[in-house]
Amino acid sequence: MMKNSFSVQCIVITMLFIVSTGASYHPPQKVGCANSRSKCSAKSVTCPVECPSVQPTDPNAKACYIDCNVPTCEAICITRKPNCNGSGAACLDPSFTGGDGTVFYFHGKSNEHFSLISDPNLQINARFIGLRHEGKTREYTWIQALGMMFDSHTFSVEARKVAKWDSEVDQLEFSFDGKALVIPEIHLPGWKSPEQDLKVERTSNKNSVKITLTDFVEISINIVPVTKEDNKVHNYQLPSNDCFAHLEVRFRFFGLSPDVEGVLGRTYRPDLKNPVKPGVAVAVVGAEDKYRTKSLLSSDCNSCVFSPTGVVANDNPLLMDYGTLDCSRGGNGGNGIICKK
């Protein structure tokens, strides 16, 4: 009797959710961990009623995701566009949130490239755009493109230069192994590489995508312009022929080694000695010379450790899983990391 009563309660709760949101009901899917090295990889978890699908047909709906970073291996609802407040985020001018939860600025330099992540199996670079006004001590910069290297492959995603922003026009450009890649402006099914290890899917029909490299990283990307309000508040003095369209990015890492390097990568090292001074609300981190690369798809920085053939085996027990590490909840972020602000 108790079991039947519980089932009826679940049905009632489900129907109330459907009525209140106007959503159509679909049985929740089962979801597994995208990282084969995680302790959750062998488990299959039922999605919550609030987000029953891994790939919802509505691009604005939350997606079901298994949190591979907690012992319970629970399924959670996530917003598919980047969350600029969580660990692994790179947004605005550009502000980073490190693996330890520390928020910092890395301004780099306009029209130059810097390594965000450099690991034996993975290299991710960023191209910065920006401008400087007379009398200013530094440039205003934003991330305009990402370049990724893994195995012997390359992939890039970038925002086109736009004079006036129109959200109804897609401004994303892609390449794979040096050739232009066209991702249809439809939510599903997306694109997969010949080896099926790299996947690109639209999280909205235009200007938002999620990139997944199996067992290594998920990257949520959204293109945004510098708004008129931001231009006024920060006195950017944007030219009339460029709204500085740039990328908002959120990384979720699955297989970083303890020796990972890069502007963002260094914050995921277990031996991190954070240069950010206590009491500084948002510190500015330099070290441009350590992380500068010659191009978007180059791993020649002074601190880069990427090897095109990869030298860390996928089953290496030292690889660290930072799948959905979220320091915004405060306290312990998992994997031996204490979240700080």
Side-chain angles (χ1 to χ4, degrees):
M1 183 69 183
M2 289 294 294
K3 183 176 181 181
N4 291 338
S5 176
F6 178 76
S7 299
V8 170
Q9 289 177 14
C10 289
I11 294 172
V12 170
I13 291 172
T14 300
M15 295 306 297
L16 286 173
F17 172 78
I18 293 169
V19 171
S20 63
T21 62
S24 58
Y25 176 72
H26 298 283
Q29 294 181 341
K30 293 279 189 177
V31 61
C33 186
N35 177 15
S36 63
R37 290 183 297 270
S38 170
K39 295 178 181 178
C40 302
S41 61
K43 296 186 178 182
S44 181
V45 184
T46 301
C47 293
V49 172
E50 295 85 354
C51 55
S53 176
V54 176
Q55 290 183 304
T57 54
D58 179 0
N60 295 316
K62 288 189 175 182
C64 174
Y65 190 91
I66 184 171
D67 192 343
C68 304
N69 192 52
V70 295
T72 56
C73 304
E74 62 181 327
I76 58 176
C77 297
I78 61 171
T79 301
R80 310 194 79 207
K81 292 185 179 182
N83 174 8
C84 289
N85 297 318
S87 62
C91 301
L92 305 173
D93 175 17
S95 171
F96 292 83
T97 305
D100 63 340
T102 300
V103 179
F104 64 94
Y105 286 112
F106 176 85
H107 297 303
K109 191 174 182 180
S110 177
N111 300 317
E112 291 193 0
H113 307 85
F114 298 90
S115 168
L116 301 187
I117 299 292
S118 187
D119 215 28
N121 288 302
L122 177 67
Q123 176 90 16
I124 301 177
N125 296 338
R127 179 189 298 132
F128 286 55
I129 54 172
L131 72 168
R132 174 183 286 174
H133 301 300
E134 186 176 351
K136 295 291 184 180
T137 58
R138 70 164 184 89
E139 290 181 309
Y140 299 112
T141 54
W142 298 270
I143 294 176
Q144 180 265 338
L146 293 180
M148 183 163 62
M149 289 157 275
F150 60 99
D151 293 332
S152 58
H153 299 293
T154 62
F155 174 84
S156 69
V157 54
E158 56 187 283
R160 297 188 183 102
K161 181 177 178 179
V162 184
K164 185 177 180 181
W165 182 254
D166 183 351
S167 61
E168 296 302 313
V169 179
D170 189 61
Q171 304 295 351
L172 282 164
E173 290 186 346
F174 307 90
S175 77
F176 179 70
D177 286 348
K179 297 181 180 179
L181 178 66
V182 177
I183 308 295
E185 291 181 24
I186 54 175
H187 176 47
L188 298 173
W191 172 90
K192 286 186 177 181
S193 63
E195 288 86 356
Q196 304 291 299
D197 53 351
L198 179 66
K199 181 180 180 180
V200 182
E201 58 180 300
R202 299 268 184 179
T203 48
S204 64
N205 290 343
K206 297 175 175 63
N207 299 315
S208 298
V209 293
K210 184 177 79 169
I211 300 162
T212 304
L213 180 59
T214 303
D215 286 345
F216 289 101
V217 66
E218 284 185 354
I219 311 172
S220 298
I221 297 175
N222 192 40
I223 293 185
V224 294
V226 175
T227 65
K228 292 182 179 179
E229 181 180 354
D230 284 341
N231 187 35
K232 182 178 180 179
V233 170
H234 299 285
N235 193 29
Y236 291 136
Q237 301 178 41
L238 296 185
S240 60
N241 64 343
D242 195 346
C243 68
F244 283 84
H246 59 280
L247 306 182
E248 293 180 331
V249 185
R250 174 82 185 275
F251 297 95
R252 288 188 174 93
F253 298 106
F254 302 133
L256 296 178
S257 78
D259 299 320
V260 62
E261 268 290 359
V263 174
L264 183 61
R266 64 175 185 81
T267 68
Y268 287 87
R269 294 174 64 111
D271 62 350
L272 171 68
K273 295 181 180 178
N274 203 313
V276 175
K277 296 179 180 180
V280 177
V282 182
V284 178
V285 174
E288 284 86 351
D289 291 341
K290 288 181 61 178
Y291 304 123
R292 183 182 285 106
T293 63
K294 290 182 179 178
S295 68
L296 188 64
L297 297 171
S298 172
S299 58
D300 60 352
C301 77
N302 291 335
S303 296
C304 288
V305 297
F306 173 72
S307 170
T309 56
V311 297
V312 177
N314 286 345
D315 58 355
N316 188 325
L318 295 178
L319 292 178
M320 301 175 293
D321 180 1
Y322 293 100
T324 52
L325 177 64
D326 187 358
C327 285
S328 63
R329 301 173 185 174
N332 194 330
N335 293 298
I337 286 183
I338 303 298
C339 296
K340 299 178 291 183
K341 293 294 181 183

